[in-house]
Amino acid sequence: MDVAVLGATGDVGRQVCTQLVERRILPPTSRLQLVGRPGGASGRAVHGLRADLVDAYDEHAPLIDVAHSPDDVVADVIVVAAGATSPARAGASLDRTRLALGNREVFAGYADAIARHGSGHEVVIVVSNPVEVGVAVMARTLGAHRVVGMGAWLDTLRFRREIAAELGVRRHRVGGFVAGQHGEDAVPLWSTVRISGHDPAERERTLRRLRRGRTLDAFPREIAVAQAELVEVAAVDVGAAYRLIDTWPADLRLVARPWMTHQSGAKTATATAAATADLVEVVLDGRETVVAGQVALDGEVSLAGERLRGVLGVPLVLGPEGWTRVLLDPLPDDEARRLRGAAAAVGASLRSAGIEEAAGARAGSGDDLPLEDLGAEEAGMETGTEGDQVGETGTRARIAAVDGQGARDGASAPESSWAAQVHGLHGVGTLTGLAGVFSTRGVSFESLATEPVDGDGDAGTIHVTFRATRRRARALERAVTRLATVRSVVVQETTDRPSSPRARADR
């Protein structure tokens, strides 16, 4: 299977690419597509990034290619790390509405391109902030279950680490989830925490000790007080500010530590990329796994008898086709109240970004909380410029307009017979790469034949026939065209339009 990283040369995008290769999440037969902006600095830098990754990891690196246009994105999993980001410096205050308005257009442009040119089965992982805005925009165009925001999983990993550190164990021994909005409206779900080796009684005693007699009702005020105290201490000694954080409860540390990291002038690109790579690995693994993520809900979660509809971070089951269900048992009263508050905050954030209320999280009576700036945004996406503004017209386009096939290229879409002529270099890599493109997309050859090589002995033609939907055939054509050993591809439908070949010339 193939992965595309939008905004590959940004701080986070570069880290995502590196970790996908370094952790060997993508095998050598898969493809990693580095996507930059045409005409911008990233349009040049993606070529250098590709060369750097190959130099570092040639022994096990996947096939790596470069794309500049949203229309050229071809992948099974698409990581969205493009757009503007918040500054990482002392005293920086994020204008969440301004960031949302700018990145909304980036999200919409890419969503439109994926809907028009993709296979209809891509799973999209939104990393760029505000992650809830990205999920809302892209889910509306691509379908709710194909889009997951990374923020809740990163918050979950941080929560588990803080608990593990206090108990003196490694993070993998701690379970538990964080829901809500990414940032200061994160909701640590203490009721979901499990500790390896603890029976129910031991677990209850441990959690009482960790929580120090507190509930989540006072959590927003605790965060505000903590931030004010950190600003005062960090003005004299940043190290002392981090030592102060270490004295606080685990859930408060979950929010305060990344906020302080941004105030220090550093960024959280490595942790953000690690959480993103986790989700990519889950999707590619082929098995369903319980994680946490921001998703567009449509009544899957109920709080006090009221169903939530809109974007919210929740524990969920993620697999190769996206997320399938939410796993959230009835919550204690303080967690339910805090989650309702986070849902209201998300709804207010989406409305301020010009996204109608129907796309925002709504809970019960909708007692909205005032929106506050989030200083803990994950930095590292490409800096927003005019090149980032892909266009807002994508929000008006729908997959149903593409080839009249409807919103999904699923089992009900009609398959046709296709013939492809692939002109490629005479070598093992051409056939191996061609077979890899087809097999990772679940398409089998009906026939495969080769012609004698050209007069110079360097290249030849491969004839392939197969059955696929029109959209999948187009995706296969684009993917084959990008093989380093392929010079040109001609694909034609042999049933409905046998005399209408479409050629992709040598790059």
Side-chain angles (χ1 to χ4, degrees):
M1 300 180 75
D2 301 340
V3 176
V5 179
L6 314 182
T9 62
D11 291 326
V12 170
R14 184 181 294 268
Q15 280 278 354
V16 169
C17 295
T18 300
Q19 293 196 30
L20 289 175
V21 178
E22 190 175 53
R23 290 167 55 174
R24 305 193 184 194
I25 292 173
L26 291 173
T29 55
S30 291
R31 178 173 300 279
L32 175 61
Q33 189 177 57
L34 315 179
V35 185
R37 296 191 309 272
S42 67
R44 299 187 298 273
V46 284
H47 294 284
L49 176 58
R50 178 188 180 280
D52 191 31
L53 290 172
V54 172
D55 283 345
Y57 305 108
D58 184 62
E59 289 76 13
H60 61 267
L63 301 169
I64 303 176
D65 72 11
V66 166
H68 295 105
S69 169
D71 296 351
D72 291 332
V73 174
V74 179
D76 303 287
V77 181
I78 299 174
V79 176
V80 182
T85 186
S86 57
R89 63 176 183 269
S93 178
L94 171 67
D95 185 341
R96 170 175 282 272
T97 300
R98 182 177 178 182
L99 181 65
L101 287 171
N103 283 351
R104 179 192 64 185
E105 298 182 5
V106 178
F107 300 140
Y110 276 117
D112 178 46
I114 295 167
R116 288 186 289 111
H117 299 285
S119 67
H121 295 283
E122 298 90 350
V123 176
V124 177
I125 299 173
V126 178
V127 182
S128 306
N129 278 305
V131 63
E132 291 81 13
V133 172
V135 170
V137 171
M138 302 197 84
R140 180 181 301 156
T141 301
L142 302 176
H145 287 267
R146 291 170 54 194
V147 181
V148 178
M150 176 280 311
W153 182 238
L154 176 58
D155 292 335
T156 290
L157 292 176
R158 288 170 170 164
F159 186 41
R160 292 177 181 182
R161 192 199 74 83
E162 296 293 356
I163 293 173
E166 194 160 343
L167 297 179
V169 300
R170 301 301 295 269
R171 179 165 59 190
H172 69 269
R173 293 191 57 190
V174 177
F177 297 94
V178 173
Q181 186 179 32
H182 182 46
E184 295 167 31
D185 271 306
V187 182
L189 301 178
W190 283 99
S191 61
T192 67
V193 172
R194 300 293 183 269
I195 303 167
S196 178
H198 284 209
D199 62 30
E202 291 174 313
R203 169 183 164 275
E204 186 177 351
R205 288 195 298 272
T206 299
L207 293 185
R208 278 203 304 268
R209 175 168 59 86
L210 292 175
R211 298 191 70 174
R212 308 182 191 183
R214 303 157 48 253
T215 71
L216 292 185
D217 290 325
F219 198 49
R221 181 176 179 279
E222 288 178 341
I223 292 172
V225 171
Q227 290 176 346
E229 190 171 1
L230 288 174
V231 168
E232 182 177 347
V233 174
V236 178
D237 186 347
V238 173
Y242 277 102
R243 290 191 292 273
L244 176 61
I245 292 173
D246 289 335
T247 67
W248 293 340
D251 51 4
L252 188 55
R253 299 198 304 268
L254 150 73
V255 176
R257 199 181 302 276
W259 184 87
M260 190 64 239
T261 297
H262 280 267
Q263 292 292 307
S264 74
K267 296 181 179 180
T268 58
T270 304
T272 301
T276 304
D278 285 349
L279 298 185
V280 172
E281 187 172 23
V282 168
V283 176
L284 297 182
D285 184 57
R287 294 177 294 178
E288 293 192 324
T289 304
V290 181
V291 295
Q294 271 76 16
V295 295
L297 298 171
D298 188 21
E300 292 88 349
V301 174
S302 295
L303 293 177
E306 301 279 356
R307 293 191 177 275
L308 293 180
R309 289 180 171 82
V311 179
L312 197 65
V314 289
L316 52 87
V317 178
L318 182 65
E321 297 179 353
W323 66 277
T324 56
R325 59 190 184 277
V326 175
L327 296 180
L328 192 62
D329 292 331
L331 299 174
D333 290 345
D334 65 324
E335 293 180 6
R337 286 191 293 268
R338 187 82 288 277
L339 192 57
R340 285 171 58 86
V346 172
S349 178
L350 294 180
R351 289 191 295 275
S352 69
I355 301 172
E356 61 264 27
E357 186 175 357
R362 301 192 306 275
S365 60
D367 46 344
D368 291 1
L369 299 182
L371 181 66
E372 297 178 354
D373 285 349
L374 296 191
E377 294 292 334
E378 307 311 319
M381 278 64 78
E382 294 181 299
T383 302
T385 65
E386 290 183 2
D388 276 323
Q389 308 309 314
V390 182
E392 195 172 355
T393 57
T395 58
R396 304 184 185 95
R398 294 296 178 266
I399 303 173
V402 182
D403 292 334
Q405 290 187 43
R408 294 181 183 270
D409 187 13
S412 60
E415 289 190 346
S416 303
S417 293
W418 300 84
Q421 291 182 348
V422 181
H423 190 63
L425 299 181
H426 178 50
V428 175
T430 302
L431 283 174
T432 300
L434 184 63
V437 168
F438 275 73
S439 64
T440 56
R441 285 163 175 77
V443 178
S444 300
F445 299 133
E446 288 192 333
S447 68
L448 185 149
T450 59
E451 289 184 3
V453 296
D454 298 341
D456 59 8
D458 289 337
T461 300
I462 305 168
H463 297 271
V464 177
T465 62
F466 60 96
R467 288 189 61 81
T469 61
R470 183 170 289 109
R471 293 183 69 180
R472 184 157 298 217
R474 285 205 306 271
L476 286 166
E477 180 184 8
R478 290 197 303 275
V480 171
T481 302
R482 283 188 167 77
L483 291 175
T485 56
V486 169
R487 292 182 173 177
S488 64
V489 180
V490 177
V491 175
Q492 67 177 18
E493 190 175 1
T494 60
T495 53
D496 299 330
R497 290 181 290 179
S499 60
S500 301
R502 293 184 298 123
R504 291 292 177 99
D506 187 16
R507 64 202 75 185

